[in-house]
Amino acid sequence: MNQSPPEGGGLSEIGEERRRKAVELAARGVKPWGTDFHPTTSCRDAALNAPTEVGKQGLEVAVAGRLLRIRRSGGIAFADCLDESGGLQLLATRDTGVAFELLAQLDLGDIVGAEGKLTRTKAGEPSLSLDRLTLLSKSLRQPAAKHRGLVDPELRYRRRYLDLLSDPSRREIFRQRSAIVRALRGALEKRGFMEVETPILQPIPGGGEARPFVSHHHALDSDFYLRIAIELYLKRLLVSGFERVFEIGRTFRNEGLSPRHNPEFTLLEAYEAYGNLESMMDLCQALVGSAAEAAADCGAVPPEGLRRPFPRLKMVDLVLERTGFDALALWDQPSEVSARARELGVEFPATAGPGRILFAVYDQRVERELDQPVFVTGHPVEVSPLARRGDDPRFAERFELVVAGRELANAFSELNDPVEQRSRLMEQARLRDAGEAEAQPFDEDFVEALEHGMPPAGGIGLGVDRLVMLLTGAANIRDVVLFPTLRPAAGASTLRDTL
RNA sequence: GCCGCCAUGGCGCAGUGGUAGCGCAGGGGCCUUUUAAGCCCAGGGUCGCAGGUUCGAAUCCUGCUGGCGGCACCA
């Protein structure tokens, strides 16, 4: 199948009408596209600077924006011009000449440059009385219904630009996201962390438990995987002598989509040599706190309680309290552990030991009930193959920050014992061979790096999209990702044949 | 991957077995202070796609495609 666009670009009848208008305008010397224009102010500022007295002519300005409404009334015409800052009403009368004529011929969605004097109409609307109107970009397609906007969720996500265009308030959440990410970066830099960029194409997708996307490098004739985590490369950098590094970047997991899962998502990971669980809790608190502050400064209303120290609760205690499942008492009685967990309706693989079963109970029965921010600590070593053991060797020095029933961050004192790391990853490899596709693959190069000596360190991973959801009140991850992953439109999946 | 719901002009919607309609947008006209401007006129849809049932299907059935929600997996 070929990838050439259809003849005429698939324009509707109305599109053809607009194309015809563009040709006519061009024939009369009005370029439909490509004219430069330099606004002297924004629509919002222009409106603020309009004279208060009706009919009085004020400052001379130039603004540019998109025409979203045109109202003609015989010898006078009004149009609403919208730029990023807001809107300004344009006004032209028959004696304005060329500008009036042009305004009458333009369509909703066209982008114009408008020059004239600020004034105020009888209705009290700040307006720009046109001296000159310049067509900057002819729109060949109609904007969405002017008062209902775009409602169909498929269109909203597939053509996000129309979603944002038809309802400017939908842009706010992305401004807030930008402010949040800037705050995260700022908080890290303030603490001496250096931002780095590590491979997204990885020969071995390590550092997490997830199904990766696979690709192939032709010249190297090798498979590469899109990273599922950043961890193992940042730890290599700790070996290299860098002591505080972080990366905020796209990460990919080949798993189901849901209101909380997009196949590509933004992960923040930070590693601190000579840090540990405690220093990571401090950092986590600071990151969430400054992000919440930035979001609030940008008009969001983050939940209460994100600036105060989060309580710490041990996983075993939480599980005992909420389900009556006493992991410590049952630990050495394998058949009892699995029987009690099954009674609770919890599912887990047949190969699971007591730690994995405890985690399954927590994950399936407890986590979603945790509404207020809490540091859940003491994950079983069995489910923490990259974390250091705590004083009780069954549990790792690890915490997860849980808010509104969802993991927001995951951190631990990093395992820097290469001998133990080797055997833990070998165990993961055994689980893989036993059919657990999501157990971590063995990465010899990473273990070798540890053998050169990695300083004791703390590390943290934080789900940026979910943090943005929490701080902005978005219920769906698609509302905080500009272009969420969707099934390709029909006929779009044939590109591979041509590569 | 499984289950449920949804798909009607460019956009937003109505139409539950009798041959498709409304608002906005678009075309023609009137109107010199409008704010989703108003008024008049004339257009625009093989009802997501493919089959089936029926004298007759937007409507009922099956399959497919796409979306949404839930489950599973996970952040």
Side-chain angles (χ1 to χ4, degrees), chain A residues 112-132:
Chain A
V112 297
E115 294 162 271
K117 293 172 199 72
L118 291 173
T119 184
R120 191 166 296 266
T121 63
K122 286 178 188 169
E125 184 75 21
S127 304
L128 179 64
S129 181
L130 289 178
D131 292 324
R132 249 160 56 105

Side-chain angles (χ1 to χ4, degrees), chain A residues 353-422:
Chain A
R356 186 163 287 268
I357 293 172
L358 166 64
F359 182 74
V361 176
Y362 164 76
D363 196 44
Q364 292 168 43
R365 303 304 306 280
V366 179
E367 186 176 83
R368 70 193 60 180
E369 309 296 329
L370 302 174
D371 188 51
Q372 291 303 305
V374 56
F375 284 132
V376 176
T377 67
H379 295 59
V381 165
E382 231 180 307
V383 296
S384 314
L386 301 167
R388 191 166 79 190
R389 281 179 205 277
D391 295 334
D392 181 336
R394 295 173 292 184
F395 300 100
E397 278 190 27
R398 174 176 172 188
F399 74 80
E400 286 183 312
L401 173 61
V402 179
V403 189
R406 299 204 278 267
E407 292 156 45
L408 215 57
N410 176 25
F412 32 88
S413 301
E414 303 297 339
L415 177 61
N416 69 341
D417 173 343
V419 179
E420 181 169 0
Q421 185 67 86
R422 181 177 290 279

Side-chain angles (χ1 to χ4, degrees), chain A residues 33 49 51 56 58 113 125 197 244 249 285 292 316 341 374 462-463:
Chain A
W33 297 281
N49 286 321
K56 191 181 171 191
E125 184 75 21
E197 293 173 278
R244 291 175 181 215
Q285 195 87 50
V316 281
V374 56
L462 185 150

